Amino acid sequence: MRTEGEIATNTDPAGPWSLVVPLKPLARAKSRLGRAAGELARPRLALAFAQDTVAAALSCARVRDVVVVTDDAVAGAALSALGARIVADAPAAGLNAALSYGARSVRALASGAPVAALNADLPALRPTELARVLDFASAFPRAFLRDAAGIGTTFLSCAGGTELRPAFGGRSAARHLASGAVEIPLPGTDSVRRDVDTGEDLTVALALGVGPHTERLALTLALAPDR
């Protein structure tokens, strides 16, 4: 990675995309994982997921920079160390407000940048799969990818000059489709669709193959078999 002004960028200058990744304060993140992993481990897993998501995104040749919107100091420091730019959640009005604010933060420095919102809980994310999603999305003003359950959204993009208009939460895929965003139908994008909210989700992600932060922690917590 290199740093230009305030923005951490991918070393491949061809990458045009700016990604916005929202992250709750770790103490409140991934509440449904507590049953599977324990309350003490839950914030650590949320951070590990975000670290693997951001690291994979910054390794994608289509990605120029990653902006993380968070008020968590520990997460901010860890993700900044990976090369992300950290933006405080100034609106403090929920997920969609944070994403819109992050997109505006990107365009304050690069007005014509294509922007995509990406979930912070994609620990199995593969840069090559993300690149395919971004390539497809680049042909449309707005595009989205359903989550593995087919109900939510893990990715929403907007071309330069187009507003993001995020509607995440619950049955967000239907809302994004109704808003005019084009659904991304690509097969072979499991790692971009596999968000982790429950112990069952984590088991599937581990089977796909997670990044090093999640893998180490899962082994420590005996959530994954030692290899």
Side-chain angles (χ1 to χ4, degrees):
M1 308 304 159
R2 65 174 181 271
T3 301
E4 297 176 355
E6 291 186 282
I7 301 181
T9 66
N10 193 294
T11 52
D12 183 343
W17 284 91
S18 292
L19 304 188
V20 178
V21 177
L23 183 63
K24 288 181 182 178
L26 297 177
R28 295 193 285 108
K30 297 292 135 198
S31 58
R32 288 192 282 164
L33 266 180
R35 181 178 300 177
E39 283 301 308
L40 292 178
R42 178 180 52 76
R44 297 168 62 196
L45 282 167
L47 177 56
F49 297 166
Q51 287 173 298
D52 286 329
T53 300
V54 167
L58 283 169
S59 296
C60 176
R62 305 296 188 272
V63 174
R64 181 178 184 273
D65 60 287
V66 173
V67 172
V68 177
V69 183
T70 187
D71 282 335
D72 193 288
V74 171
L79 298 172
S80 177
L82 294 175
R85 180 163 68 98
I86 309 303
V87 174
D89 184 6
L95 174 59
N96 293 308
L99 286 169
S100 294
Y101 182 73
R104 290 195 300 272
S105 175
V106 167
R107 287 181 170 165
L109 298 173
S111 59
V115 177
L118 186 70
N119 284 14
D121 57 352
L122 303 171
L125 184 64
R126 287 168 170 73
T128 54
E129 293 185 13
L130 177 59
R132 293 180 61 229
V133 169
L134 291 168
D135 285 346
F136 185 96
S138 67
F140 301 95
R142 292 171 66 244
F144 75 98
L145 188 70
R146 291 180 187 263
D147 64 11
I151 296 172
T153 305
T154 59
F155 170 96
L156 174 70
S157 66
C158 61
T162 304
E163 294 298 318
L164 187 61
R165 294 168 57 198
F168 285 79
R171 297 183 175 275
S172 61
R175 291 195 296 275
H176 287 135
L177 187 63
S179 75
V182 172
E183 181 168 358
I184 298 172
L186 296 174
T189 56
D190 291 350
S191 77
V192 196
R193 300 177 67 221
R194 181 70 276 168
D195 55 344
V196 176
D197 290 314
T198 67
E200 292 79 7
D201 294 339
L202 180 55
T203 297
V204 176
L206 290 168
L208 280 175
V210 295
H213 297 90
T214 303
E215 183 175 36
R216 283 195 297 268
L217 184 54
L219 289 170
T220 299
L221 298 172
L223 298 173
D226 199 352
R227 296 177 185 175

